[in-house]
Amino acid sequence: VSTKSLVGNSYLNSMFDKKLVERYSMLDSNRCRLKLTIRPMDAKLHSIFAVPLITRDIVEKKPHLKGSYQKIEKEFADSKSYNTVKKMTYDLAEEIGEADAYRRTVIADVLLTCSEYYQLRDLSTGSLLDDYSMEDGGEEEIVVHNVRFEVTTEKGEDGLRKIAGSWKIVDLDDLLEGNVFY
């Protein structure tokens, strides 16, 4: 797969957040070659939490909402005022609107232990491009990755059950510092 086609790859975009895909699309496939083999061996759930009301796609439509919960959290830390936090939460719900008010984002951080082979090579010189690259014929190494997953849920038509979307990887080893939108 050429790096130019990564951003438009629907299969890849169904599994990874577009910011993470864009991060890897910067590799020039005419100048370097990436060899990567990852074999998951173990997974441990590190944390999981829900963010009510707001989703990544809502923030994309209304960018001024980015960091809304962080602002509420900071306000409470500074003022210790439940009334102020309550008002800010109601204001956020009002801004999001009733049509989207029953949505939430579930975020899970997973420690994924893998057997991995990684090599990034300059095609013109044949030299390895970074300190992490392995020599040809090298043994796979055991590596632990911190993977952040995200899924959006919404209320079902019956008003009781939740309907979940598909899980996506939104950050890998904190390359995007958590890729936080809330």
Side-chain angles (χ1 to χ4, degrees):
V1 176
S2 75
T3 54
K4 291 177 183 171
S5 67
L6 290 178
V7 175
N9 185 310
S10 61
Y11 178 69
L12 199 60
N13 283 286
S14 71
M15 294 184 299
F16 295 92
D17 180 67
K18 67 182 178 183
K19 286 183 182 176
L20 200 55
V21 173
E22 288 169 359
R23 177 73 184 248
Y24 284 99
S25 67
M26 291 183 227
L27 290 174
D28 183 350
S29 60
N30 295 319
R31 301 181 78 198
C32 60
R33 181 183 66 212
L34 172 65
K35 286 184 183 179
L36 180 62
T37 303
I38 300 175
R39 297 181 210 307
M41 299 167 59
D42 186 43
K44 291 187 177 150
L45 180 63
H46 182 260
S47 66
I48 189 166
F49 58 97
V51 182
L53 294 175
I54 197 161
T55 64
R56 193 169 294 278
D57 61 313
I58 290 171
V59 171
E60 284 180 12
K61 287 186 263 182
K62 299 178 179 183
H64 64 281
L65 293 179
K66 183 175 183 175
S68 297
Y69 275 100
Q70 293 171 334
K71 290 173 190 165
I72 292 170
E73 185 177 281
K74 183 181 179 330
E75 177 60 36
F76 183 72
D78 292 346
S79 71
K80 304 288 189 255
S81 169
Y82 288 104
N83 287 333
T84 302
V85 168
K86 182 178 174 183
K87 181 182 180 329
M88 290 176 77
T89 305
Y90 282 123
D91 290 347
L92 176 60
E94 183 75 28
E95 175 69 27
I96 288 170
E98 193 170 333
D100 288 323
Y102 298 103
R103 299 175 72 201
R104 79 175 90 180
T105 303
V106 179
I107 298 169
D109 290 318
V110 176
L111 297 176
L112 189 61
T113 303
C114 302
S115 176
E116 182 173 288
Y117 178 86
Y118 167 82
Q119 183 185 82
L120 187 60
R121 190 174 292 279
D122 184 307
L123 291 175
S124 62
T125 66
S127 62
L128 299 176
L129 291 175
D130 62 25
D131 294 337
Y132 302 106
S133 286
M134 304 167 76
E135 292 290 342
D136 287 331
E139 295 283 322
E140 291 183 355
E141 295 179 351
I142 303 300
V143 179
V144 178
H145 292 287
N146 182 14
V147 185
R148 176 164 276 193
F149 293 88
E150 189 176 286
V151 67
T152 300
T153 68
E154 53 189 83
K155 200 178 269 192
E157 289 182 21
D158 62 7
L160 300 174
R161 61 189 169 90
K162 296 285 182 200
I163 298 171
S166 297
W167 286 94
K168 273 189 165 185
I169 296 173
V170 297
D171 200 4
L172 176 63
D173 296 331
D174 283 329
L175 286 172
L176 300 175
E177 298 176 357
N179 199 359
V180 176
F181 69 92
Y182 52 89

